[in-house]
Amino acid sequence: MRLFLLCQLTALLGPAAALAQSTTAPPALPTHDSPPRLHDLVHTHLALRFDYAKRYAYGQEWVTLKPHAYATDSLLLDAKGMDIKAVALVLGAQQQPLQYRYDGRQLRIKLNQVRQPGESYTVFVDYVAKPDELGAKGSAAIRDAKGLYFINPDSAVAGKPRQIWTQGETEASSVWFPTIDRPNQKTTADISLTVPARYVTLSNGRLSEQQTHPDGTRTDRWLQEQPHAPYLFMLAVGDFRVQREQWRGKEISYYLEPKYAAQAQAIFGRTPEMLAFFSQKLGVEFPWNKYAQVVVRDYVSGAMENTSASLFGEHAQGSARELLDWEYQLVEREIAHELFHQWFGDYVTCESWGQLTVNESFANFSEVLWAEHQLGPDEAGRQAYRSLRTYLANPQNFTKPLVRRQYANQEDVFDAVTYQKGGRILQLLRHELGEDVFFRGLNLYLTRQALGTGEAEQLRLALEDASGRDLTGFFQQWYYRPGHPVVTIDYGPWDAATRTQAVTLRQTQGGAPYELPLDVDVYAGGRTQRHRLRLRETTQTFQLPAAQRPELINVDAENVLVWQKTDNKPLGAFAYQYQHAPRYLDRLEAILACAAHPEDAQARQTLLAALGDKYYALRWTVLENIDLVKQPALRAALLPAVRRLASHEPSPQARAEALKVLGKLGDKRDARLFANALDSRSYTVQGAALQALTAVELPQALRRAPALEADHRGALTAALVAVYAQAGNPARLPFVLAQVQAAEPLPRFNMLPSLAQLLTRTSDPAAFAAGLQPFRSLGIEYKPYIGPQVLTMLQNLRTQVAAGTIAAPAQQAIDDTVRAIEQAP
């Protein structure tokens, strides 16, 4: 699973104000061992039909099991919020009713006799699944836990498709069929879905047969012939257009809404290349008989790696124009993430949720692996650094080990420790062992645990066997210890007598020092020498040979360490680093250091050079971190280059940022440039151009804006909202409110100040009250994350409307909204 919502919330919170690691022990949490296996699932046969009006699934199940280790005369199944109609033992063509007790969560069945270990038997259950009546609550990672979702079932929302889909992780499959809903269970499956004949279905495995009925329905039968975990069961029903192709004799398919079907290849077309690449790197051929990818509405997370059929939220489909603005991090890396799960998570599944690292850390790792292969080292470096930054953004992450037995709820493990930190640790392990040995170890792990479960210790043993090295210390440090090293790097003077350069590293994180592999590059006299060192002490000084005074000492030259560093090299060394150190993070660090010292001529020259960097994201970074308004010397040095980028930059993101930089200058001579940029097909460029034009020629911006309403998305939508908020007629409030309400959580939050600005100009109390709804909904739904920020906005708005014509009703509406947020759980 990719945690799209978690990433959004991280963006809302921004970088942590302080990254110091607390020495205070976190509160005690319950300990969770792997769930006991009293029975083993063997085979699950389901027959389902759906009542759209009631949002029910009418199910019949034939589940085959066997006692695992001990004889038993009873069976316990998870079955959440169902009506149980009948339970019986299957005896050939006959059924023998069985006694059972059901408490709304679990189904306790008394068997007809004692069953011995390994003795298979089949139980029949007739039931009704009622997911909308369950009252299940989700988490920050997975917003809902009702398992089975009816989307627009009564077609009440015009233009919105009618769909059914499932989300099983972590333990919500038992909302739509009785099972032992634990990750250490594996079962084959036979799923029959009876649906209106006009709809397409998708489930795990292969479509074995279809039968059309006189009542206008059709039954599709899907066979999953290799065992997989219950949380990986899936179904999707809807009006999808399906594009199919073949890869090594297996069907690869893409399911999208009809209006996006033309973009199927543009979105998912690299899937066959990914399949080939991952199969080759792992030495294990893609293990399932087909691979499908489906995009659905109102999904509760980012995407989900259901066995042979991954499911994506609607952000994974877009028009041809929207795709112009997509970066790797949005969808392509998500496609790689879910595909890599087909090995790590599906083929070999975590033994327990506390061992989730053997699923999700690998999927995060694959995002960098694919970027490196397909797009090159800069994109891979950026993706790797994004993971490190996401982990470091929240100090709460620093108290949690990667392998976790203590947690309040299993979904708490779906966090930046398991994903981003874990993925970075795998990169470090790959570097430590070497490419061939590392992947040989992954091959051993996958083949030994094939179609079963795995734990970090089994991964360690496989890597030890592949490498011949004892990795106990590495795993103790990185898998079982929370936190990370916090290191300060200082440089002594070059010693001409001994021809050495002193470099001192100090670990300040508290606790025992970490042992870190250090690749240190010494740049001196036009030559580069690599030193492979080992940091083992709290404070350690290395004397590095250098025939002359080094221009640069680059510690962690491969950028693989999981750490928080303060590198006290002089500004001149950073400038040299930009020109000579090859990696993305080397250049990024240099750009940020130089941007912090715009008064320095060498820094300005470095920033000017970086505006022509080969990688668009670094050109973008320069533009994000310069202030040409307050720095006249910097403006003189960079302005011509910024204007060139605003006109001709091929990257929509970097071009948009150049337009924003110029817009802040407010130079009316740029009005024509901004107006021309409004003709771009990129929504991102158009949005930046409209806001820049607003800053220098507001009447022209207001004249151009209405024509842009016919086709707007993303940044252009936000720009239209901002323009109308700044100077638009209050009659534009319905349009603005509709855009805010339709937006995803992060852009919705970012548009709230514009909405508030427009609300101050309305004279209609009812319209004002309606305009507060986005504040209320965001403040309540995401209260732990952005509740205080929303409340602050509301209090500021209350002050602003105090002198208005509708002050009393407006302030009362604000007070009601504040109270609702404050009283929300």
Side-chain angles (χ1 to χ4, degrees):
M1 169 169 285
R2 180 182 163 223
L3 300 184
F4 189 65
L5 175 62
L6 186 61
C7 293
Q8 286 191 326
L9 294 178
T10 300
L12 286 178
L13 290 166
L19 297 179
Q21 296 182 61
S22 172
T23 57
T24 305
L29 295 170
T31 297
H32 300 268
D33 293 319
S34 295
R37 288 169 57 192
L38 304 178
H39 278 86
D40 292 329
L41 292 171
V42 177
H43 182 68
T44 303
H45 177 196
L46 299 173
L48 292 163
R49 55 189 178 88
F50 305 96
D51 187 326
Y52 284 82
K54 294 182 178 179
R55 305 188 184 198
Y56 288 176
Y58 299 100
Q60 292 184 316
E61 176 181 47
W62 296 261
V63 57
T64 302
L65 314 96
K66 57 186 178 182
H68 181 76
Y70 303 102
T72 183
D73 64 353
S74 62
L75 170 64
L76 181 64
L77 296 176
D78 298 296
K80 300 182 179 78
M82 299 178 179
D83 285 347
I84 304 299
K85 301 297 187 182
V87 179
L89 184 71
V90 177
L91 299 171
Q94 306 296 316
Q95 292 185 356
Q96 178 183 331
L98 295 174
Q99 296 179 7
Y100 66 90
R101 289 185 293 117
Y102 180 58
D103 63 3
R105 305 290 294 183
Q106 292 184 311
L107 179 61
R108 298 177 183 274
I109 301 170
K110 180 71 173 177
L111 302 176
N112 65 330
Q113 65 184 65
V114 174
R115 298 286 172 171
Q116 298 300 317
E119 178 187 358
S120 296
Y121 64 93
T122 300
V123 169
F124 169 78
V125 183
D126 191 359
Y127 65 96
V128 181
K130 301 179 175 182
D132 282 61
E133 298 176 15
L134 179 63
K137 292 184 178 180
S139 65
I142 306 167
R143 295 201 303 272
D144 202 295
K146 62 184 181 182
L148 179 68
Y149 296 80
F150 289 82
I151 306 304
N152 201 22
D154 52 6
S155 300
V157 181
K160 186 173 186 177
R162 195 179 187 224
Q163 297 176 347
I164 303 173
W165 47 263
T166 58
Q167 166 55 39
E169 196 172 34
T170 51
E171 296 174 3
S173 285
S174 50
V175 177
W176 60 280
F177 65 97
T179 189
I180 303 175
D181 208 352
R182 301 293 182 272
N184 62 354
Q185 289 285 340
K186 293 285 180 99
T187 171
T188 55
D190 179 343
I191 302 178
S192 292
L193 305 173
T194 300
V195 302
R198 66 184 182 276
Y199 291 144
V200 172
T201 72
L202 175 64
S203 190
N204 312 102
R206 63 183 176 89
L207 179 61
S208 67
E209 61 181 286
Q210 293 184 298
Q211 183 178 0
T212 302
H213 309 296
D215 64 355
T217 63
R218 188 188 70 251
T219 299
D220 292 351
R221 185 182 182 193
W222 294 86
L223 298 180
Q224 174 60 39
E225 295 162 317
Q226 293 172 292
H228 66 144
Y231 78 87
L232 296 168
F233 276 51
M234 73 84 66
L235 63 86
V237 181
D239 181 15
F240 301 110
R241 292 293 180 270
V242 186
Q243 184 176 116
R244 295 180 171 89
E245 55 185 315
Q246 290 289 310
W247 177 80
R248 297 181 184 176
K250 298 179 179 182
E251 182 180 282
I252 311 302
S253 55
Y254 320 125
Y255 291 62
L256 296 101
E257 293 174 34
K259 66 179 179 179
Y260 298 112
Q263 276 68 252
Q265 274 295 319
I267 297 168
F268 292 111
R270 283 180 172 167
T271 301
E273 299 172 64
M274 290 184 185
L275 284 162
F277 175 65
F278 290 153
S279 293
Q280 180 270 324
K281 290 296 286 186
L282 296 171
V284 176
E285 188 82 354
F286 176 72
W288 313 108
N289 59 16
K290 72 108 172 21
Y291 189 56
Q293 294 168 102
V294 59
V295 182
V296 302
R297 291 291 189 102
D298 297 349
Y299 186 52
V300 294
S301 191
M304 180 63 203
E305 68 276 10
N306 308 296
T307 307
S308 78
S310 290
L311 187 147
F312 296 78
E314 62 194 273
H315 64 278
Q317 61 187 4
S319 67
R321 285 194 63 189
E322 286 177 287
L323 267 60
L324 294 174
D325 292 331
W326 282 13
E327 290 191 274
Y328 171 73
Q329 64 169 310
L330 179 62
V331 176
E332 187 173 344
R333 72 147 173 160
E334 189 172 65
I335 293 170
H337 180 115
E338 306 308 334
L339 180 55
F340 211 64
H341 266 311
Q342 301 298 314
W343 287 269
F344 293 93
D346 297 8
Y347 190 55
V348 180
T349 307
C350 60
E351 169 70 15
S352 65
W353 297 120
Q355 295 282 345
L356 187 64
T357 177
V358 299
N359 290 14
E360 295 297 351
S361 300
F362 278 99
N364 179 272
F365 165 77
S366 76
E367 299 169 5
V368 177
L369 185 65
W370 175 250
E372 178 184 272
H373 171 75
Q374 183 67 30
L375 302 171
D378 283 342
E379 190 69 60
R382 184 184 182 211
Q383 188 59 41
Y385 180 62
R386 185 183 290 113
S387 285
L388 179 62
R389 190 179 60 202
T390 300
Y391 161 71
L392 291 174
N394 185 357
Q396 292 181 6
N397 294 327
F398 308 162
T399 64
K400 304 170 186 176
L402 189 53
V403 175
R404 222 171 304 171
R405 294 177 66 226
Q406 283 80 33
Y407 49 82
N409 181 281
Q410 69 267 12
E411 292 186 11
D412 296 344
V413 185
F414 291 75
D415 59 15
V417 178
T418 298
Y419 283 70
Q420 283 81 9
K421 183 185 180 185
R424 287 282 300 189
I425 289 169
L426 288 171
Q427 287 285 1
L428 175 59
L429 192 51
R430 176 191 183 190
H431 176 71
E432 180 82 346
L433 297 180
E435 188 80 358
D436 292 344
V437 171
F438 175 73
F439 280 100
R440 194 181 311 139
L442 298 193
N443 175 272
L444 279 176
Y445 171 78
L446 289 171
T447 53
R448 287 174 178 175
Q449 311 305 131
L451 296 173
T453 60
E455 299 183 357
E457 283 301 287
Q458 290 161 324
L459 174 64
R460 176 180 68 83
L461 293 171
L463 291 166
E464 286 187 347
D465 285 348
S467 66
R469 293 175 54 178
D470 186 343
L471 296 175
T472 304
F474 184 97
F475 273 71
Q476 286 294 330
Q477 177 170 277
W478 292 112
Y479 278 75
Y480 301 103
R481 175 180 177 176
H484 56 272
V486 179
V487 178
T488 299
I489 307 171
D490 291 296
Y491 305 87
W494 175 67
D495 190 324
T498 62
R499 296 183 182 277
T500 59
Q501 171 69 56
V503 180
T504 299
L505 286 83
R506 294 179 177 83
Q507 299 191 48
T508 62
Q509 71 277 349
Y514 281 78
E515 180 176 334
L516 301 177
L518 294 176
D519 289 320
V520 182
D521 283 353
V522 177
Y523 292 76
R527 301 183 61 186
T528 307
Q529 185 175 2
R530 169 71 53 89
H531 300 276
R532 306 208 73 176
L533 309 173
R534 210 84 184 172
L535 178 65
R536 293 186 173 92
E537 307 297 332
T538 300
T539 300
Q540 199 165 343
T541 297
F542 299 96
Q543 298 291 342
L544 303 176
Q548 62 188 74
R549 187 187 308 278
E551 289 88 6
L552 171 68
I553 306 294
N554 192 12
V555 180
D556 186 29
E558 296 291 329
N559 302 150
V560 294
L561 290 180
V562 184
W563 67 350
Q564 178 189 340
K565 72 169 180 177
T566 301
D567 193 339
N568 292 318
K569 63 169 63 95
L571 184 61
F574 275 116
Y576 188 92
Q577 179 172 307
Y578 176 79
Q579 294 290 349
H580 296 88
R583 296 186 176 274
Y584 163 80
L585 187 54
D586 298 326
R587 282 138 58 214
L588 174 68
E589 289 175 346
I591 288 168
L592 296 177
C594 290
H597 295 279
E599 74 286 351
D600 182 271
Q602 191 176 18
R604 293 196 296 271
Q605 284 303 112
T606 300
L607 294 173
L608 179 61
L611 284 177
D613 195 280
K614 62 181 179 178
Y615 183 44
Y616 81 95
L618 289 175
R619 302 194 296 272
W620 184 7
T621 297
V622 177
L623 294 162
E624 284 185 312
N625 286 277
I626 57 175
D627 186 343
L628 301 189
V629 176
K630 297 180 180 178
Q631 298 291 337
L634 190 65
R635 181 167 65 250
L638 301 190
L639 186 56
V642 173
R643 283 198 167 112
R644 284 195 299 272
L645 293 176
S647 297
H648 304 298
E649 165 62 47
S651 159
Q653 292 79 18
R655 185 182 180 192
E657 199 63 40
L659 290 165
K660 292 176 186 177
V661 171
L662 294 180
K664 292 175 184 176
L665 289 175
D667 189 335
K668 290 184 178 294
R669 290 174 295 179
D670 289 320
R672 177 176 292 183
L673 189 159
F674 301 151
N676 290 340
L678 281 175
D679 295 329
S680 170
R681 284 186 53 77
S682 162
Y683 293 123
T684 298
V685 171
Q686 281 188 311
L690 181 61
Q691 291 197 291
L693 187 61
T694 301
V696 299
E697 191 66 53
L698 180 59
Q700 185 181 172
L702 287 171
R703 288 196 304 271
R704 296 287 301 269
L708 299 172
E709 291 183 24
D711 182 10
H712 60 89
R713 297 285 191 279
L716 180 55
T717 302
L720 287 167
V721 168
V723 169
Y724 291 143
Q726 180 175 334
N729 190 297
R732 307 307 300 166
L733 180 59
F735 171 82
V736 168
L737 183 57
Q739 309 320 308
V740 176
Q741 290 175 323
E744 292 293 318
L746 178 56
R748 197 186 327 157
F749 176 81
N750 289 335
M751 285 191 281
L752 289 184
S754 294
L755 175 59
Q757 190 176 2
L758 188 54
L759 286 173
T760 61
R761 299 204 299 276
T762 185
S763 58
D764 182 347
F768 185 95
L772 295 177
Q773 181 55 39
F775 294 88
R776 179 191 295 257
S777 60
L778 269 176
I780 292 174
E781 187 172 0
Y782 303 113
K783 183 176 180 178
Y785 308 97
I786 58 170
Q789 293 96 316
V790 174
L791 290 173
T792 298
M793 290 184 199
L794 288 168
Q795 294 297 348
N796 291 338
L797 179 59
R798 194 180 195 282
T799 301
Q800 293 167 359
V801 300
T805 58
I806 58 167
Q811 290 186 328
Q812 182 61 54
I814 292 171
D815 291 344
D816 293 342
T817 303
V818 167
R819 191 177 306 110
I821 296 171
E822 290 177 339
Q823 293 177 355

